Amino acid sequence: MANIPITKVKENGAESLSLLGEMKALAERVRQRAYELFQSRHSRAGSPLDDWLKAERELIWAPESDLVEKNGQFQLQIAVPGFDAKDIKVTAFSDALAVRAESAHRHEKSDGNVYFCEFGEKTLFRKFELPAPIDIDKVTARLEKGVLQISAAKNEPAPGKASATAA
């Protein structure tokens, strides 16, 4: 079992801008790949939407996951086989969790004659909106047997700050 560090974002600060930059870079990679697919058809009939969706499937991986609320905590599990703990980044926001990871597989000339390889680059980039606010200081993540397990304690209202709807 390996613990994963959590980046905590309290407001729209530098980490939010960094995450936004990563999202823009990923969108640009998808756009470029979709254009390459279009060019490979030599501009023959086809659908630009199909090119875009194929590019997304090739570049962005959305693994199986589940979110459960239990004992005042959200427990998020994400299947991430093939990723090491050092490859995974978890960011906690007051209302969401973001998970990013990248892995690449390449062959060197010294590997011998490679006849086929189904391994490749994969990028995991998902943001999980939560049904209630969380305490970002009480978020933990660990990787165990290819499953990323994130626990996030729900944000409890401060004492004396109960709902002021009663008159």
Side-chain angles (χ1 to χ4, degrees):
M1 172 174 36
N3 290 326
I4 309 288
I6 308 294
T7 301
K8 300 166 184 161
V9 178
K10 295 184 190 254
E11 298 294 326
N12 290 336
E15 180 57 33
S16 291
L17 293 175
S18 171
L19 191 61
L20 182 60
E22 287 183 49
M23 290 171 60
K24 285 181 178 180
L26 186 55
E28 177 58 24
R29 285 177 50 204
V30 170
R31 188 198 64 75
Q32 181 60 38
R33 180 63 184 135
Y35 182 68
E36 291 168 2
L37 292 168
F38 168 76
Q39 284 185 316
S40 71
R41 289 189 284 111
H42 305 291
S43 304
R44 286 191 304 256
S47 168
L49 178 60
D50 288 341
D51 294 338
W52 186 272
L53 293 174
K54 182 175 182 182
E56 281 186 340
R57 281 191 307 272
E58 288 179 9
L59 297 173
I60 303 171
W61 180 55
E64 294 82 14
S65 58
D66 68 19
L67 176 66
V68 175
E69 181 181 346
K70 182 178 177 184
N71 299 326
Q73 289 198 6
F74 293 113
Q75 297 173 348
L76 176 64
Q77 293 189 107
I78 307 163
V80 291
F83 285 97
D84 292 326
K86 65 180 176 44
D87 300 325
I88 300 171
K89 295 178 185 177
V90 176
T91 304
F93 300 89
S94 63
D95 62 348
L97 296 166
V99 179
R100 307 178 312 265
E102 288 193 50
S103 77
H105 178 85
R106 291 182 173 74
H107 291 280
E108 302 295 325
K109 289 189 179 235
S110 62
D111 289 342
N113 294 328
V114 178
Y115 292 101
F116 75 90
C117 178
E118 293 177 342
F119 293 98
E121 294 183 21
K122 58 181 170 175
T123 300
L124 182 162
F125 198 104
R126 291 200 60 189
K127 183 176 178 185
F128 298 90
E129 301 289 337
L130 300 172
I134 60 170
D135 182 344
I136 62 172
D137 293 321
K138 295 181 181 176
V139 176
T140 61
R142 67 181 198 273
L143 180 63
E144 186 173 350
K145 297 181 180 178
V147 177
L148 177 61
Q149 300 173 359
I150 304 172
S151 294
K154 289 174 67 176
N155 199 4
E156 298 297 327
K161 297 250 180 169
S163 175
T165 58

